[in-house]
Amino acid sequence: MTDLAKYSASGPMAGYLFQCRLGLLHGLELTRKNPEAVISIERFDDVAFETENLVECLVQAKHHVVPKSLSDKSEDVWKTLLIWIEGAQKGVFELIKMTYMLITTAECPPGSAMSKLREEASEKDIDEAYSLLTNVAEESKSQATKNARTAFLNMEPSEAKLLLSRVVVVDNHPNLTDVSSDISSHFNTLAPKNPDLAAQYLEGWWLSRVCLHLMGKHEQGIPVQHLILKAHEIGKILSEEALPIDDPTKLDVKDYTADDEFRNFVRQMRAIKITDGMVRSATSDYYRAYAQRSRWSRENLILEDELSNYDEKLQDSWRRKFEAEILLKGAQGEIEKIQLGRSIFLWAIQESTPLRNVVEKWITAGSYHGLADRDKVRWHPDYSGVNADAPELNDA
């Protein structure tokens, strides 16, 4: 191991992400078995599932970037047992009512205690696992597992066997990357055309909810029902006819800077003396619409001519509005022309012209600003464009 490698956070970070993805994966599996459950992260355990305020299942998640063996002397084993033993002793939960899951990417060696605690272990398996762990607890000299081994030996044999009878070990579990495939498989029916993309959208929502949960905003956990609703919502959005729409506040776009004053669409607004605040808002709409349209193009969610046809529709609507305003107001002086331009501009940014299923004002407004940047539309009747070669908003 190099000096830099020993300080790497990649292992712990992978473990935390694995833990979050496990919560999501097993939450999806619960949507049919127990839709009333609530999922918590780092509350009772790495992951916990509760019903009616009672903890029913605790999950310890152990992820290893490099494949390894989960022997009976392993720190993963004894640290996990200590967490469960102390939780029961402190009255956080009752042994007899719990299911304890150890989910690990490591492999349990044949004949080990952990190999005997896989799902549907027999009473004989439990007795053998208890004997094997007792021997390790008595013979090991490891300081890292000393407290856990002592706690295990201090338990009554019947109590220790009861704990082990409630343990389910899932070894050789798919790793951080492969878990994503398992999550995607849940969308094979809901979003058959884009299961991987649907999983990405759901995971983005999930991680946001986990962050709020960890910060105490949702102390009681995340209801499985919310997971069901969000999964179905994403599946509907990603149907063949629909386009996914991002939260505009979450799009990674640049903020307004003084350099934007050189952009044609900003010059157009300055020509009709739009306020600084509205210029900033319009710039935000422009960059957000660009980001959203680019994403649709990159992910092949938009038809070849769909965005250009949409822009032509906007341009046609603008032309009709512009000509009507010119006819009705007959602006002659500069002040009248500025007022006319403002009227058309304010109309454009309040429009919600549908793009398939999308009717967001910021998409329409941002697209109009893109047209203004390319001199396809104008606000001031006498404005002379300077940026006709600007890229189109659907450029990825």
Side-chain angles (χ1 to χ4, degrees):
M1 179 182 294
T2 66
D3 288 340
L4 288 177
K6 67 182 180 181
Y7 296 113
S8 172
S10 61
M13 179 60 71
Y16 293 135
L17 291 174
F18 180 66
Q19 177 180 326
C20 290
R21 280 184 173 168
L22 271 187
L24 175 57
L25 175 61
H26 289 278
L28 287 169
E29 292 169 352
L30 274 178
T31 57
R32 292 187 180 89
K33 301 175 185 176
N34 198 344
E36 301 302 320
V38 173
I39 309 166
S40 64
I41 307 289
E42 292 286 2
R43 185 181 179 203
F44 299 103
D45 213 333
D46 286 351
V47 184
F49 301 97
E50 311 162 56
T51 56
E52 298 179 356
N53 297 320
L54 296 175
V55 184
E56 291 194 347
C57 180
L58 297 178
V59 178
Q60 274 284 308
K62 302 298 181 185
H63 183 273
H64 299 282
V65 176
V66 179
K68 63 179 296 185
S69 176
L70 188 72
S71 72
D72 294 343
K73 295 181 180 180
S74 168
E75 289 185 27
D76 282 356
V77 170
W78 289 101
K79 287 181 178 180
T80 296
L81 288 174
L82 182 60
I83 290 170
W84 293 337
I85 292 169
E86 289 183 339
Q89 290 174 343
K90 293 176 181 177
V92 178
F93 34 76
E94 295 182 57
L95 284 177
I96 197 169
K97 294 183 178 180
M98 294 299 306
T99 297
Y100 305 89
M101 295 188 72
L102 172 57
I103 300 179
T104 177
T105 57
E107 181 179 9
C108 301
S112 65
M114 293 298 104
S115 72
K116 297 180 181 298
L117 297 179
R118 295 186 180 113
E119 194 169 12
E120 298 182 355
S122 66
E123 187 174 344
K124 179 184 177 183
D125 291 328
I126 304 301
D127 289 338
E128 291 178 354
Y130 172 73
S131 297
L132 289 167
L133 289 172
T134 300
N135 290 338
V136 171
E138 291 173 342
E139 296 173 3
S140 175
K141 304 300 181 184
S142 170
Q143 290 299 308
T145 63
K146 181 178 179 180
N147 291 340
R149 290 183 289 106
T150 300
F152 183 78
L153 291 173
N154 286 339
M155 297 178 76
E156 291 293 329
S158 59
E159 185 182 25
K161 289 181 181 181
L162 175 59
L163 168 63
L164 296 180
S165 72
R166 308 296 297 177
V167 170
V168 176
V169 175
V170 181
D171 61 332
N172 278 323
H173 193 280
N175 63 22
L176 175 63
T177 303
D178 295 335
V179 165
S180 292
S181 299
D182 291 345
I183 294 171
S184 297
S185 68
H186 285 269
F187 282 97
N188 287 339
T189 301
L190 288 175
K193 298 289 185 180
N194 293 288
D196 292 340
L197 184 59
Q200 291 174 26
Y201 274 97
L202 183 64
E203 185 171 16
W205 169 85
W206 172 255
L207 290 176
S208 176
R209 290 298 301 269
V210 169
C211 288
L212 291 173
H213 173 58
L214 293 175
M215 294 298 291
K217 302 294 185 180
H218 298 294
E219 294 181 0
Q220 299 307 311
I222 306 166
V224 168
Q225 284 283 0
H226 291 188
L227 195 55
I228 298 171
L229 292 173
K230 193 64 182 180
H232 279 273
E233 177 188 319
I234 292 170
K236 184 177 180 180
I237 289 173
L238 287 176
S239 66
E240 189 171 1
E241 299 79 18
L243 285 171
I245 186 75
D246 290 302
D247 181 343
T249 64
K250 302 291 178 62
L251 287 169
D252 184 20
V253 298
K254 69 183 288 289
D255 294 326
Y256 166 88
T257 66
D259 290 341
D260 289 313
E261 292 295 329
F262 296 99
R263 303 235 32 157
N264 200 29
F265 78 97
V266 175
R267 290 174 182 263
Q268 287 233 42
M269 288 185 281
R270 294 304 187 190
I272 56 174
K273 303 187 184 305
I274 294 300
T275 65
D276 289 345
M278 293 189 75
V279 169
R280 291 177 183 275
S281 295
T283 303
S284 178
D285 284 342
Y286 172 85
Y287 285 118
R288 287 172 176 172
Y290 185 94
Q292 184 68 81
R293 292 169 55 137
S294 295
R295 182 171 186 178
W296 288 332
S297 295
R298 286 195 308 273
E299 295 173 351
N300 296 317
L301 298 175
I302 202 83
L303 300 177
E304 184 176 354
D305 298 324
E306 197 166 3
L307 288 176
S308 59
N309 290 342
Y310 180 70
D311 286 342
E312 288 177 7
K313 181 190 295 186
L314 296 184
Q315 194 172 353
D316 180 68
S317 295
W318 164 82
R319 179 182 56 78
R320 295 172 186 275
K321 178 68 174 178
F322 186 83
E323 292 175 350
E325 291 290 307
I326 292 287
L327 178 64
L328 290 173
K329 296 184 178 178
Q332 298 297 320
E334 179 62 16
I335 293 178
E336 291 176 330
K337 290 178 180 179
I338 289 174
Q339 292 295 337
L340 182 146
R342 286 178 172 179
S343 175
I344 299 169
F345 172 82
L346 293 174
W347 162 81
I349 65 173
Q350 292 299 321
E351 284 291 282
S352 298
T353 303
L355 175 55
R356 213 183 294 181
N357 59 296
V358 177
V359 290
E360 302 290 337
K361 280 184 168 60
W362 60 275
I363 290 288
T364 303
S367 298
Y368 267 122
H369 296 315
L371 290 169
D373 206 48
R374 307 198 310 277
D375 291 317
K376 301 295 185 181
V377 306
R378 68 183 190 275
W379 317 125
H380 193 293
D382 298 335
Y383 183 81
S384 178
V386 296
N387 200 22
D389 295 328
E392 294 190 18
L393 274 188
N394 54 310
D395 285 353

